[in-house]
Amino acid sequence: MTRVFAVFAALCMSVLLAGQAPRPQMVEYQLRPVLERGALTSIAIELRFRGEPDGETVLQLPNSWGGEDELWRGVADLRVDGAAMREGDDPAVRVLSHRPNARIRVRYRIVQDWEGEPSAGAGRRNPYRPIVQPGYFHLIGNAALIAPQIDGANPVRLRVRGLPRGWSFASDLEHEGLSLARVHASVTVGGDYRVRRGADENVRVAMRGAWGFSDEDFTAQVSEIIAGQRRFWGDDSTPYLVTVTHLAQAQEGWLSIGGTGLDDAFAFFATPNAEARMITRTLAHEGLHSWIPGRIGGMPEQDEAADYWLSEGFTDFFTGRVLVREALWGPEQFAADLNDMLRAYASSPARAEPNTRVVADFWNDQAVSQLPYQRGRLLATLWDARLRESGRDLDDAVLEMRDRARMGDPLNAAAMFPLVMDRFGADVRAEIETHIERGAPILLPENAFGACGRVETRTVANFHRGFDVEATLANGAIISGVDPELPAYAAGMRDGMVLLRRDEGEVGNAEREIVYVVRDGETERAFRYWPRGRGAFELQQLVLADGLEGEARARCLAVLGGA
């Protein structure tokens, strides 16, 4: 009788389990630095998981991301245990054949597939490819992690082994609750990085190199920015990592600041002459990408760049808003930042290009790549001013988009936004078609910023250095293409001189004198002139009201900060 009951119970349990969803299987990554004679040469990565029930699992190697292609070239010595491996339809795919649900181990090394150290200069981009230098490494998940194409909800665990004595390690893959779907939007660093925690223990900063600001001050500012953004979105404190990687200057005086926002991290790159205010702005922008656009509807599956006007432009708009709200910017800093953008937009050679050009050339043309930031921010400013007339602002729109996305709304952010604005009595479709899709220039109304001041419109000369800067840089800083009809020639500049540096002036601003220092034979000379080219354009600038103090300043801050 007992045996019959046991068999019956076993059968019942089998039926019960058959009706349950399979338990998610842990996916494990293990990283180990590989050194030769004390110098790092590669990162050994081991990946463990269970294969698919049908006996075939696809491995996705790093491929294209962030303007980089053929990222699989950084993968070396790829081997698999527990399955037979064959090539897929393209170099970034491998197909594994195995027993159903087999335990599989994948081993490979990540190497730096480009020469030299990370640097900034003409024609160089942020080093999103794997960085493997003798004393440190920097890996963005999209560029370094092979992943099986299995259920993205499977949990993931990352471990690091064999760190040399004195090395640090930081990754946003270390925290709990991580799923396979999120491993690529990550950053992992190790080596001579200095790891600090902010006032919020969940915020970490990993920095390397010497800077004009202290690690402590920088970490405190990062913590303030992230805390302010979380308050805006109504989110609790969660782990967040900022990495700051030093870029060597390929050319004297070159300044570069940039990076990429990831799910819960920001990978930042800069030359040592980067100023704190520029870093603050970049951090605020990239930090907001934790919410925009992913948590307000996300992006389309194809032609993602077509919606960059929202994902990047709205992020730029709310960057200024959050910095003002957190008292990191006042009206003066806000106006200076806005006016820089307005000047760049007004003088852009791509200003009237349609959105199809953005889709085609976002990663290939600097002027085109800035259009979504500029157009989205300007339209967000227009729409915010319009909503303020009815007692709302753009905060209300994006927070409703957040709520709709949480409730499972299938629309992506750019498709959802006009519907939300309809509810607020603002039809934005015609402006999206006119200014985004067709590329018609955007002009702000004079009263766009209310109590802060007025938007002034005037005609100014096009900026031109008076020589061909691209040809000059490509020619080893030997000045080329001096135009005899422009002020640089009249000041005495000639082809064949050697460009040393710029001492005064602002690139893109024909309303400030510029000073270039050159070597003419054995003599060092300085040329001062107005960098005016042919033609002119309409320039808008925010002119702050006089005496912006006390109650007037408070009203202005309420407009800029959305309070």
Side-chain angles (χ1 to χ4, degrees):
M1 185 71 175
T2 302
R3 183 175 180 181
V4 172
F5 178 78
V7 172
F8 175 75
L11 287 172
C12 289
M13 183 61 70
S14 297
V15 171
L16 179 62
L17 291 176
Q20 293 179 342
R23 184 179 180 183
Q25 296 294 323
M26 179 67 70
V27 178
E28 296 186 276
Y29 285 91
Q30 180 175 294
L31 277 63
R32 179 176 57 84
V34 178
L35 287 81
E36 295 180 8
R37 297 180 181 178
L40 182 67
T41 59
S42 63
I43 303 297
I45 300 180
E46 185 174 293
L47 165 64
R48 293 176 181 264
F49 62 95
R50 281 193 180 273
E52 292 283 68
D54 65 359
E56 184 172 283
T57 301
V58 174
L59 283 183
Q60 180 64 56
L61 278 61
N63 193 9
S64 298
W65 180 81
E68 300 287 350
D69 294 313
E70 299 184 347
L71 289 164
W72 45 265
R73 292 189 180 278
V75 175
D77 300 333
L78 176 59
R79 293 171 289 170
V80 175
D81 298 325
M85 180 172 62
R86 67 179 188 273
E87 293 185 356
D89 295 335
D90 66 63
V93 172
R94 299 290 187 275
V95 180
L96 307 183
S97 300
H98 50 79
R99 297 189 313 276
N101 301 307
R103 292 184 180 275
I104 297 172
R105 180 172 68 160
V106 176
R107 290 176 290 168
Y108 64 100
R109 291 184 302 111
I110 285 292
V111 299
Q112 181 174 303
D113 67 339
W114 47 280
E115 297 295 326
E117 63 178 331
S119 61
R124 298 173 185 262
R125 295 187 297 195
N126 288 328
Y128 292 148
R129 304 185 84 88
I131 302 172
V132 182
Q133 291 289 303
Y136 73 97
F137 64 90
H138 182 287
L139 307 177
I140 291 176
N142 285 287
L145 297 181
I146 294 176
Q149 292 187 1
I150 59 178
D151 187 352
N154 281 322
V156 170
R157 180 166 55 215
L158 172 74
R159 293 175 176 171
V160 61
R161 295 284 187 268
L163 277 180
R165 185 183 298 276
W167 277 35
S168 61
F169 176 82
S171 174
D172 61 326
L173 298 177
E174 294 175 279
H175 63 77
E176 297 179 356
L178 186 70
S179 65
L180 182 62
R182 297 178 60 191
V183 298
H184 286 123
S186 64
V187 60
T188 300
V189 300
D192 61 356
Y193 283 86
R194 306 180 298 276
V195 181
R196 303 282 189 271
R197 289 190 182 272
D200 178 348
E201 286 288 309
N202 276 322
V203 176
R204 291 182 299 160
V205 174
M207 305 176 65
R208 69 173 306 275
W211 305 93
F213 45 84
S214 70
D215 291 4
E216 292 73 20
D217 288 347
F218 182 77
T219 301
Q221 199 163 71
V222 169
S223 190
E224 287 180 46
I225 291 169
I226 300 302
Q229 291 172 342
R230 285 172 174 157
R231 280 192 293 272
F232 176 81
W233 294 101
D235 283 358
D236 295 331
S237 173
T238 54
Y240 195 89
L241 172 67
V242 173
T243 64
V244 186
T245 301
H246 189 280
L247 296 180
Q249 294 166 291
Q251 294 162 298
E252 184 179 355
W254 195 273
L255 171 66
S256 179
I257 296 175
T260 182
L262 304 159
D263 275 351
D264 47 18
F266 169 42
F268 182 83
F269 305 91
T271 48
N273 56 341
E275 297 178 10
R277 66 177 181 86
M278 302 163 75
I279 294 172
T280 298
R281 190 198 188 288
T282 304
L283 283 169
H285 176 99
E286 297 297 341
L288 278 165
H289 277 313
S290 294
W291 295 272
I292 304 173
R295 301 187 195 180
I296 60 171
M299 298 295 280
E301 293 184 1
Q302 294 183 334
D303 293 336
E304 185 176 278
D307 288 358
Y308 283 173
W309 64 270
L310 189 147
S311 64
E312 298 295 351
F314 276 33
T315 299
D316 245 8
F317 173 84
F318 283 103
T319 292
R321 175 147 288 182
V322 168
L323 288 172
V324 170
R325 186 173 292 174
E326 295 305 308
L328 294 171
W329 274 6
E332 296 77 15
Q333 290 78 19
F334 179 95
D337 180 79
L338 175 73
N339 288 339
D340 285 345
M341 184 276 290
L342 287 170
R343 183 178 294 278
Y345 173 68
S347 60
S348 171
R351 184 184 186 193
E353 293 288 344
N355 209 31
T356 51
R357 178 76 192 283
V358 174
V359 174
D361 290 326
F362 180 84
W363 296 105
N364 307 318
D365 187 294
Q366 176 67 17
V368 170
S369 73
Q370 293 305 302
L371 282 178
Y373 296 80
Q374 296 160 347
R375 288 172 174 170
R377 183 178 180 182
L378 288 171
L379 286 177
T381 300
L382 275 172
W383 294 327
D384 183 69
R386 191 174 304 162
L387 289 173
R388 287 202 312 272
E389 294 174 359
S390 60
R392 295 180 176 271
D393 60 19
L394 203 64
D395 297 18
D396 299 311
V398 296
L399 291 175
E400 179 160 329
M401 292 170 70
R402 174 204 62 187
D403 294 342
R404 290 178 63 151
R406 283 177 177 174
M407 296 291 291
D409 192 318
L411 294 176
N412 63 51
M416 189 192 301
F417 177 68
L419 299 179
V420 170
M421 291 295 280
D422 284 345
R423 289 195 60 251
F424 297 159
D427 186 351
V428 299
R429 292 173 183 81
E431 286 162 315
I432 292 173
E433 174 63 27
T434 299
H435 300 298
I436 299 297
E437 300 304 332
R438 297 208 302 266
I442 303 166
L443 290 175
L444 295 175
E446 185 178 7
N447 64 346
F449 296 96
C452 294
R454 72 184 190 283
V455 176
E456 179 184 276
T457 304
R458 64 182 186 275
T459 301
V460 300
N462 283 319
F463 173 87
H464 199 291
R465 295 175 178 83
F467 61 93
D468 188 330
V469 66
E470 293 182 359
T472 298
L473 294 175
N475 197 28
I478 298 175
I479 293 174
S480 306
V482 177
D483 191 323
E485 297 182 4
L486 296 182
Y489 186 91
M493 187 177 288
R494 298 292 185 270
D495 286 354
M497 295 177 177
V498 178
L499 181 63
L500 298 179
R501 63 184 183 275
R502 172 170 55 87
D503 276 356
E504 294 181 32
E506 178 185 346
V507 173
N509 187 354
E511 297 182 298
R512 287 185 57 185
E513 281 191 304
I514 203 163
V515 176
Y516 279 111
V517 178
V518 307
R519 187 169 64 247
D520 182 8
E522 299 299 320
T523 305
E524 187 173 296
R525 303 176 62 186
F527 295 112
R528 177 184 295 272
Y529 57 94
W530 295 96
R532 295 167 179 162
R534 297 174 178 83
F537 61 90
E538 266 193 315
L539 173 68
Q540 291 197 304
Q541 298 278 270
L542 171 58
V543 180
L544 294 177
D546 293 333
L548 203 57
E549 299 294 340
E551 186 177 337
R553 189 177 185 86
R555 288 197 301 271
C556 174
L557 290 171
V559 170
L560 303 181

